[in-house]
C-alpha cells in the first residue's frame, strides 16, 4: 500500500497530512486515493474500502465535508471513519468537532446514506473506459519528484473535469490483459519496463489512444532509453529542462508564484491566434522521428505531437499540461487554513485554461475513443455510477463553488428502469428517451440520484 500511495506523490490520508492535502491541493484530488484503492482491489471484489472522511471543525466546513463524503461514497467507500468525532474537551487528539452545524450535516448525510446503503454495500463502481498509468518501475526510480507529482494529481482532476471516468492501471494489468478493457491511457511516468512497454505498444496499435506527458515513457526499468515507447510516440527526448528552483510541490501553494519556463502557441485549436499558453516546472526537448507536430513552443521546438500507430494514436506533450490547465484558476493568495468556505484551504478553482482542457480530452474527441457515460450541464459537477443487484446510484459532487439550479444530468449508458429519487429528498424531473435517462434537479454541494430496479 505504501508503494501505491508513493506513486501518486501523496501522503497517507489521515490526521494532519489529510488536512494539509486540502490546504495545498484541491479537495477533489483526495479522490485519487480511492482510484488507487480500487486498482489494488481489482482482483479482490470482497475487500471493502474504509476511509477517513474527517469533519473536524474548526478547520473543515459542513459544505466541504459533504462534498468529500459524497465523493468518497461515489468512488467506492463502504466503511466511513469520522476519526475524532467529539468535542475538544473529550477528544483524544488535536482533531475535534466543536461546531453544531457540522454535527447536523453529518447526521443529515448519514440519514441520506441509509436510503441507498444497500446499493453501496452490494455494489461496485462502474469501470471506466480511460485509465491512468501507475508504474512500479517509476516508483523504484522515484519518478514522482519535482513537479511531476503535482502535475499527475492535477492531470487526474483535469481529466475528471472533462466528465471522463478514470481508472488506474499498473504494470501487472498490462501483462495480464486488463489493459485491453480500456480505450484510452494517460501516461506520466518516466520509467516503464520493457515488458509493459511492449504491451502498451500492442494495445495502442490495436486501437488504443495513448496520451503521454513530458518525459513519460522515455526510459525502461534499467534507466536506458525506452526504444519501444519512443518509437511508438515517434519522438526521441534529447534533454529534459527541470530547473531546481522552479519545481512545484503543491498546486495551490506554488503555482501562482511560479515563473513560466516557456510558452506554447495555440495554433492547434485557434489557427492564427496570438494567445500563448505558459508552461511550468518541466519542458521536454524532443527530436521528432515519425510523429506529426501540432503545437510548438514560441521559442522553437515541438510542444505536442501525434503519431498514427496501427489502428491507434499516440500523443505526446512536451510539457506538463495540467499545470498550464490550473494556472489561470489559482489566485495569488496566502495558503491559509481558515475555518470558513472563503479560506484558501477550501477554495475551489474554476477558471481553468479551456485550450488545455480540449487537449486533455483528446481521447474523447478522436473518433473511436472514449465516450462520456454521464454528461452534466455544469461540467464541474463530478459524477460516478455504482451498480448493484438493488439498483444504481449516481453520485453528484458540485465543485463549481456555487449552487447549480436546474442541473441537467444526462445518463447515456444503461441504468435500471425503476423509480428515481434524490438522496436529499429534493425534487427531480426524469425523462427516458432512446435508452437515455435525463434528470433535472438542483445541486448545492453534493447529492445522489437513486435509481431502483
Amino acid at each position: 500500500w505504501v508503494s501505491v500511495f508513493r506513486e501518486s506523490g501523496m501522503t497517507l490520508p489521515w490526521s494532519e497530512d489529510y488536512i494539509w492535502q486540502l490546504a495545498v491541493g484541491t479537495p477533489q484530488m483526495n479522490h485519487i486515493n480511492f482510484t488507487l484503492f480500487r486498482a489494488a482491489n481489482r482482483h479482490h471484489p470482497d475487500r471493502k474500502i474504509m476511509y477517513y472522511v474527517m469533519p473536524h471543525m474548526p478547520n473543515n466546513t459542513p459544505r466541504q465535508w459533504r462534498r468529500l463524503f459524497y465523493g468518497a461514497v461515489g468512488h467506492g467507500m463502504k466503511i466511513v471513519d469520522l476519526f475524532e468525532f467529539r468535542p475538544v474537551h473529550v477528544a483524544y487528539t488535536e482533531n475535534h468537532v466543536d461546531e453544531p452545524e457540522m454535527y447536523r450535516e453529518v447526521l443529515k448525510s448519514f440519514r441520506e446514506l441509509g436510503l441507498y446503503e444497500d446499493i453501496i454495500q452490494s455494489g461496485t463502481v462502474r469501470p471506466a473506459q480511460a485509465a491512468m498509468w501507475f508504474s512500479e518501475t517509476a516508483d523504484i526510480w522515484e519518478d514522482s519528484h519535482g513537479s511531476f507529482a503535482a502535475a499527475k494529481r492535477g492531470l487526474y482532476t483535469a481529466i475528471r473535469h472533462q466528465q471522463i471516468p478514470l481508472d488506474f492501471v499498473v504494470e501487472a494489468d498490462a501483462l495480464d490483459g486488463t489493459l485491453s478493457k480500456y480505450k484510452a491511457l494517460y501516461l506520466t511516468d518516466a520509467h516503464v519496463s520493457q515488458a509493459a512497454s511492449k504491451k502498451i505498444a500492442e494495445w495502442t496499435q490495436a486501437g488504443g489512444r495513448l496520451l503521454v506527458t513530458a518525459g513519460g515513457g522515455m526510459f525502461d526499468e534499467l534507466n536506458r532509453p525506452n526504444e519501444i515507447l519512443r518509437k511508438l510516440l515517434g519522438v526521441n527526448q534529447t534533454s529534459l529542462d527541470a530547473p531546481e528552483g522552479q519545481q512545484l510541490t503543491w498546486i495551490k501553494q506554488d503555482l501562482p508564484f511560479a515563473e513560466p519556463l516557456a510558452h506554447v502557441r495555440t495554433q492547434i485549436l485557434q489557427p492564427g491566434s496570438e494567445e500563448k499558453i505558459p508552461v511550468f516546472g518541466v519542458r521536454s526537448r524532443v527530436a521528432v522521428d515519425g510523429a506529426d507536430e501540432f503545437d510548438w513552443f514560441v521559442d522553437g521546438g515541438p510542444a505536442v505531437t501525434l503519431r498514427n500507430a496501427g489502428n491507434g494514436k499516440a500523443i505526446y506533450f512536451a510539457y506538463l499540461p495540467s499545470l498550464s490547465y490550473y494556472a489561470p484558476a489559482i489566485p495569488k493568495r496566502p495558503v491559509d487554513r481558515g475555518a470558513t468556505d472563503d479560506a484558501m484551504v477550501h477554495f475551489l478553482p474554476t477558471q481553468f485554461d479551456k485550450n488545455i482542457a480540449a487537449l486533455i480530452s483528446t481521447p474523447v474527441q478522436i473518433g473511436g475513443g472514449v465516450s462520456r457515460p454521464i454528461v452534466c450541464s455544469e461540467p464541474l459537477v463530478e459524477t460516478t455510477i455504482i451498480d448493484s443487484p438493488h439498483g444504481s446510484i449516481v453520485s453528484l459532487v458540485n465543485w463549481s463553488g456555487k449552487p447549480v439550479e436546474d442541473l441537467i444530468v444526462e445518463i447515456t449508458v444503461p441504468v435500471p428502469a425503476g423509480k428515481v429519487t434524490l438522496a436529499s429528498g429534493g425534487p427531480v424531473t426524469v425523462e427516458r428517451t432512446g435508452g437515455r435517462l435525463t434528470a433535472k434537479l438542483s445541486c448545492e454541494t453534493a447529492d445522489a440520484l437513486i435509481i431502483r430496479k
Side-chain angles (χ1 to χ4, degrees):
W1 288 108
V2 172
S3 174
V4 172
F5 274 98
R6 280 177 179 167
E7 286 188 39
S8 74
M10 299 184 74
T11 52
L12 293 170
W14 38 67
S15 193
E16 286 299 315
D17 288 335
Y18 174 85
I19 300 301
W20 184 239
Q21 283 180 33
L22 296 187
V24 295
T26 61
Q28 189 181 6
M29 288 182 183
N30 194 53
H31 296 163
I32 198 172
N33 294 339
F34 291 100
T35 314
L36 284 166
F37 277 130
R38 296 203 310 271
N41 284 348
R42 180 170 286 119
H43 303 297
H44 305 280
D46 57 315
R47 296 179 180 176
K48 295 186 176 184
I49 298 174
M50 183 190 81
Y51 202 77
Y52 288 131
V53 186
M54 302 182 351
H56 305 139
M57 189 175 180
N59 196 284
N60 211 342
T61 71
R63 290 186 180 87
Q64 201 71 291
W65 184 87
R66 184 176 175 88
R67 292 186 186 99
L68 293 170
F69 176 75
Y70 266 90
V73 167
H75 280 274
M77 177 187 69
K78 294 180 184 287
I79 306 171
V80 59
D81 191 330
L82 299 177
F83 198 64
E84 195 74 85
F85 193 54
R86 64 188 84 195
V88 64
H89 58 279
V90 291
Y92 291 106
T93 74
E94 75 282 4
N95 302 293
H96 53 271
V97 183
D98 281 348
E99 304 301 328
E101 54 263 42
M102 183 62 83
Y103 287 100
R104 286 193 290 268
E105 182 57 63
V106 172
L107 177 60
K108 173 186 174 183
S109 299
F110 272 41
R111 284 175 170 170
E112 293 171 1
L113 175 62
L115 300 174
Y116 59 87
E117 189 173 10
D118 59 327
I119 296 176
I120 294 298
Q121 295 299 333
S122 61
T124 57
V125 177
R126 187 173 294 193
Q129 294 181 336
M132 181 180 284
W133 185 260
F134 274 75
S135 168
E136 289 90 337
T137 303
D139 191 28
I140 293 169
W141 285 100
E142 297 184 350
D143 286 348
S144 291
H145 65 276
S147 299
F148 290 104
K152 193 168 190 175
R153 296 192 301 270
L155 183 60
Y156 169 82
T157 53
I159 295 167
R160 297 293 287 127
H161 291 165
Q162 312 318 307
Q163 306 190 70
I164 303 174
L166 191 66
D167 291 340
F168 291 160
V169 297
V170 297
E171 294 193 20
D173 296 323
L175 302 180
D176 70 9
T178 300
L179 180 59
S180 64
K181 299 178 181 180
Y182 297 95
K183 295 182 178 181
L185 180 66
Y186 292 83
L187 190 153
T188 67
D189 298 337
H191 293 84
V192 182
S193 70
Q194 290 192 50
S197 297
K198 184 174 182 293
K199 294 296 183 180
I200 292 173
E202 292 173 352
W203 168 85
T204 304
Q205 290 163 351
R209 270 59 179 163
L210 176 66
L211 191 151
V212 181
T213 59
M218 289 293 113
F219 299 95
D220 67 11
E221 67 270 36
L222 298 179
N223 202 34
R224 300 171 301 195
N226 191 326
E227 301 297 342
I228 297 172
L229 292 185
R230 291 186 185 214
K231 181 179 180 181
L232 177 67
L233 293 166
V235 298
N236 272 305
Q237 182 170 279
T238 57
S239 64
L240 188 72
D241 298 344
E244 184 175 345
Q246 299 189 44
Q247 298 309 297
L248 291 76
T249 302
W250 307 106
I251 288 179
K252 273 189 183 180
Q253 172 180 288
D254 301 331
L255 186 55
F257 302 91
E259 294 294 329
L261 285 184
H263 289 81
V264 176
R265 300 171 184 171
T266 59
Q267 299 303 307
I268 186 172
L269 295 171
Q270 302 180 35
S273 172
E274 296 298 322
E275 185 178 354
K276 300 176 181 64
I277 297 172
V279 170
F280 300 93
V282 174
R283 172 181 176 175
S284 174
R285 297 183 184 270
V286 297
V288 174
D289 184 14
D292 294 318
E293 300 178 27
F294 281 90
D295 262 358
W296 296 264
F297 290 105
V298 171
D299 61 359
V304 180
T305 67
L306 182 146
R307 180 174 178 268
N308 294 312
N311 294 322
K313 298 182 184 298
I315 304 160
Y316 185 76
F317 282 79
Y319 58 101
L320 301 175
S322 65
L323 300 183
S324 302
Y325 173 77
Y326 266 93
I330 309 294
K332 188 178 287 188
R333 285 171 48 185
V335 188
D336 66 287
R337 296 194 188 189
T340 70
D341 288 312
D342 294 329
M344 191 60 173
V345 64
H346 299 298
F347 172 76
L348 299 179
T350 59
Q351 301 301 312
F352 304 101
D353 190 293
K354 295 181 179 179
N355 288 318
I356 298 294
L359 291 174
I360 287 172
S361 64
T362 300
V364 174
Q365 312 300 335
I366 298 176
V370 178
S371 61
R372 293 183 174 97
I374 303 179
V375 179
C376 289
S377 56
E378 169 50 70
L380 292 180
V381 173
E382 181 185 13
T383 62
T384 54
I385 306 177
I386 291 181
D387 299 309
S388 87
H390 304 290
S392 299
I393 72 154
V394 175
S395 68
L396 305 165
V397 184
N398 179 9
W399 300 108
S400 73
K402 57 185 179 181
V404 180
E405 304 292 340
D406 298 326
L407 175 69
I408 305 298
V409 182
E410 185 177 9
I411 305 174
T412 64
V413 294
V415 292
K419 185 178 180 180
V420 179
T421 58
L422 272 179
S424 65
V428 55
T429 303
V430 176
E431 180 179 343
R432 297 179 187 264
T433 55
R436 298 191 174 200
L437 186 154
T438 302
K440 184 177 181 180
L441 55 110
S442 295
C443 183
E444 180 182 359
T445 53
D447 213 324
L449 281 169
I450 307 170
I451 310 172
R452 292 290 178 180
K453 287 191 174 181

